[in-house]
Amino acid sequence: MTSNLLYRGPGIAELHEEYAKKRVLDEKAPVKAAAEISVAAPTEKVWRLISEIDRWPAWNPAVRDVQVHGGVAVDTSFIWVNGKSRVRSTLAVVDPLHEITWSGVSAGIKAVHRNVLERTPDGTVRVTSMESMSMPFLGLIFSSTKLRSGLNDWLTALRQAAEKA
């Protein structure tokens, strides 16, 4: 327990290159969660909502003050506010209609966030959102349960926006 409590994880550059770009979370991170949802909308619409980063505040009430520094491409950076946290993120995977992943840092917390889209046989889109977060003592102030709740909120907002006519 103590070693996990003190875990600081890789530096943000390594986390971006060796984890996020390789489509993996930091499995040693003290805070990790995943959530998924089925969305009754075309994959293209779901992808557009997730990949148009500057438009996130239009469908996600927790997000504001988004500044994107380039197009939707690997290594494009963006700054955004999620809830009360200002996050500096960089896109790591941009696989249109399939996956968008970024690394990010906020108040010393380093994270990898993946969103994977999969068309299902029933015609819906399964969106899986997963994240790992690391920083010493993070487990004392933030939990995997709270992260999972945030991922569920993200996915619910996404589904509501995608399923609007």
Side-chain angles (χ1 to χ4, degrees), residues 33-55:
E36 70 176 47
I37 201 164
S38 290
V39 181
T43 307
E44 295 79 7
K45 186 173 185 182
V46 177
W47 173 258
R48 189 177 71 250
L49 288 166
I50 294 176
S51 65
E52 291 179 352
I53 298 165
D54 59 331
R55 296 188 42 80

Side-chain angles (χ1 to χ4, degrees), residues 18 24-25 27 61 94 99 111 128 138 140 148 151 160 162-163:
E18 299 299 322
V24 296
L25 302 180
E27 290 301 325
V94 178
E99 180 173 350
T128 305
L138 180 60
L140 296 177
R148 186 173 306 103
L151 294 175
Q160 289 172 347
E163 291 180 352

Side-chain angles (χ1 to χ4, degrees), residues 3-41:
S3 63
N4 199 29
L5 188 61
L6 299 175
Y7 183 74
R8 72 177 58 254
I12 191 63
E14 181 182 352
L15 191 68
H16 182 71
E17 293 294 326
E18 299 299 322
Y19 292 78
K21 281 188 174 180
K22 294 181 178 178
R23 304 174 187 225
V24 296
L25 302 180
D26 178 2
E27 290 301 325
K28 294 180 184 174
V31 176
K32 299 181 288 299
E36 70 176 47
I37 201 164
S38 290
V39 181

Side-chain angles (χ1 to χ4, degrees), residues 100-119:
I100 190 163
T101 294
W102 57 86
S103 60
V105 64
S106 177
I109 300 168
K110 297 169 289 194
V112 172
H113 188 131
R114 298 182 65 210
N115 287 281
V116 178
L117 286 67
E118 179 186 1
R119 183 55 111 184

Side-chain angles (χ1 to χ4, degrees), residues 57-75:
W59 59 267
N60 190 329
V63 176
R64 65 183 192 286
D65 299 333
V66 178
Q67 302 164 21
V68 182
H69 307 287
V72 179
V74 171
D75 293 330

Side-chain angles (χ1 to χ4, degrees), residues 138-156:
L138 180 60
L140 296 177
I141 59 171
F142 198 76
S143 68
S144 295
T145 301
K146 185 165 176 121
L147 177 58
R148 186 173 306 103
S149 176
L151 294 175
N152 280 322
D153 291 346
W154 164 269
L155 291 171
T156 298

